[in-house]
Amino acid sequence: EASAKDLLDEASAKLLDEAAVVARNARVFLVPTMNPDGFSARRRNNANSVDLNRDFPDQFNEPGMPDRFDARQPETAAMMRFSESVNATAALNFHEGALVANYPYDAISGTNRKAGYSKSPDDAAFRRLAKVYAHAHPTMATAANEEFPEGITNGARWYPLWGGMQDWHYVKTQTMDVTVEVNERKWPDESQLARLWTEHAPAMMAYAKTVATESTFGRLTDSVTGDAIRGATLAVAGVDVRFTPTSRRTGYYARFLAPGRHEVTASAPGYYPQTRSANAGERLDISLRRMEDARPSSAPEKDGDDGAAVVEKDGDDG
């Protein structure tokens, strides 16, 4: 029979193996806290008494979701600028107050302010990601979690909120954002931190590995020049949202999709659209042919709420 030490060593070895996979396939950005003043003061709001997770542009209350950096709190504006510069494939946000993986949408359209399921176009993919996290945690997706026995919840079905980072990330930067409530008790005692890390580290790594290895990815380029295409977008059949390549320099893109085979259509002004099919997680390079009367296009270079971990699937552009 394996001893406790053997089991711990086995778990640590697995964690290191998964970390190596993530390191080979993705870039990971860590933000220890988005609200340092609130964290220091043990309160939700920042030093200006503003709840940062209600301060982001909201798709239902602010049509077009303008940045308006001057109207945001400095922490919000900093996170928005960072996120827009990275265009990460997926992210995790860490909160306290429950034990659950929460996925978009958090907000509900219209005048209804009551809790109810608010389905995003990528609902199936979000549910898959949330379950990856919940099932890699020892108790999140078990009967021991009385409030959320499945370990996941749609944000608005739990309680709706407007101006949250999770919805903004998805709509504006194409980032698949899941918010993890790590503990029923807010501000857990320091003596509990080691336990919380032991419980959540495997789930964090499972989430990052899934994004890094199971996202559909490739390059969208000009069929003649091999260059990235200005204004190019992609769409997945059955998913009512378009997305753009992460890198304007190479045309690299990555998108986490629900399991199964998908039809992906690429299009750009002055080019013939093209539809290709691939299984979720496969590489799918697409080259578009210019229309006879179209001018060649050139693409400018652009490299691509508490704590957050952001994962960008690595590609040809590094």
Side-chain angles (χ1 to χ4, degrees):
E1 184 178 350
S3 67
K5 181 180 183 302
D6 290 336
L7 293 175
L8 182 61
D9 289 344
E10 181 180 343
S12 298
K14 180 181 178 182
L15 202 61
L16 288 174
D17 288 343
E18 291 184 335
V21 172
V22 172
R24 287 195 300 268
N25 290 276
R27 295 187 299 171
V28 180
F29 303 86
L30 301 177
V31 181
T33 177
M34 184 182 154
N35 184 12
D37 293 323
F39 184 82
S40 178
R42 296 173 66 90
R43 66 181 187 185
R44 182 182 184 89
N45 295 346
N46 72 349
N48 295 328
S49 298
V50 174
D51 185 340
L52 300 178
N53 205 36
R54 306 293 187 277
D55 191 46
F56 286 82
D58 185 85
Q59 61 177 326
F60 300 123
N61 294 336
E62 298 179 69
M65 303 177 77
D67 288 337
R68 297 179 58 228
F69 292 124
D70 58 334
R72 312 290 171 195
Q73 291 298 299
E75 301 93 336
T76 308
M79 179 57 72
M80 289 171 64
R81 289 189 172 99
F82 167 74
S83 298
E84 289 173 344
S85 72
V86 172
N87 289 328
T89 306
L92 286 171
N93 309 315
F94 299 102
H95 292 194
E96 299 159 344
L99 186 63
V100 69
N102 172 340
Y103 58 91
Y105 286 135
D106 278 331
I108 296 177
S109 63
T111 58
N112 179 24
R113 292 305 194 235
K114 296 181 180 179
Y117 205 105
S118 187
K119 187 176 181 179
S120 76
D122 281 289
D123 187 73
F126 272 119
R127 288 177 59 84
R128 160 76 172 137
L129 280 177
K131 286 181 178 180
V132 165
Y133 194 101
H135 286 272
H137 185 281
T139 61
M140 187 177 288
T142 69
N145 187 359
E146 295 181 2
E147 186 175 9
F148 302 102
E150 293 186 357
I152 68 173
T153 185
N154 173 261
R157 186 175 186 177
W158 184 16
Y159 66 89
L161 66 89
W162 291 261
M165 182 169 71
Q166 179 168 264
D167 287 5
W168 177 84
H169 254 154
Y170 172 61
V171 176
K172 291 295 287 186
T173 69
Q174 310 172 154
T175 302
M176 307 288 281
D177 209 335
V178 170
T179 299
V180 176
E181 302 284 342
V182 302
N183 189 55
E184 292 93 340
R185 178 181 175 183
K186 289 183 178 291
W187 308 106
D189 294 334
E190 183 178 350
S191 61
Q192 299 299 310
L193 297 184
R195 174 185 63 82
L196 290 173
W197 169 253
T198 299
E199 292 176 349
H200 284 275
M204 295 179 204
M205 200 57 63
Y207 185 96
K209 180 184 176 184
T210 298
V211 172
T213 62
E214 298 184 23
S215 293
T216 298
F217 69 103
R219 293 182 63 202
L220 174 52
T221 56
D222 184 294
S223 62
V224 175
T225 66
D227 294 333
I229 301 172
R230 185 193 300 272
T233 61
L234 300 104
V236 178
V239 180
D240 188 22
V241 63
R242 302 190 71 84
F243 61 99
T244 60
T246 305
S247 172
R248 294 183 183 179
R249 180 169 58 87
T250 67
Y252 175 80
Y253 74 91
R255 186 75 169 184
F256 186 84
L257 302 174
R261 194 160 185 85
H262 300 273
E263 288 191 348
V264 180
T265 298
S267 59
Y271 287 79
Y272 292 106
Q274 183 180 156
T275 299
R276 301 272 305 279
S277 63
N279 293 319
E282 288 183 343
R283 176 163 191 146
L284 182 62
D285 293 324
I286 303 177
S287 297
L288 298 185
R289 183 166 57 90
R290 287 198 303 268
M291 297 177 181
E292 292 181 355
D293 59 348
R295 295 180 178 180
S297 63
S298 60
E301 179 176 348
K302 179 185 177 184
D303 293 324
D305 289 350
D306 302 323
V310 180
V311 178
E312 179 189 18
K313 182 175 176 63
D314 214 355
D316 295 343
D317 52 327

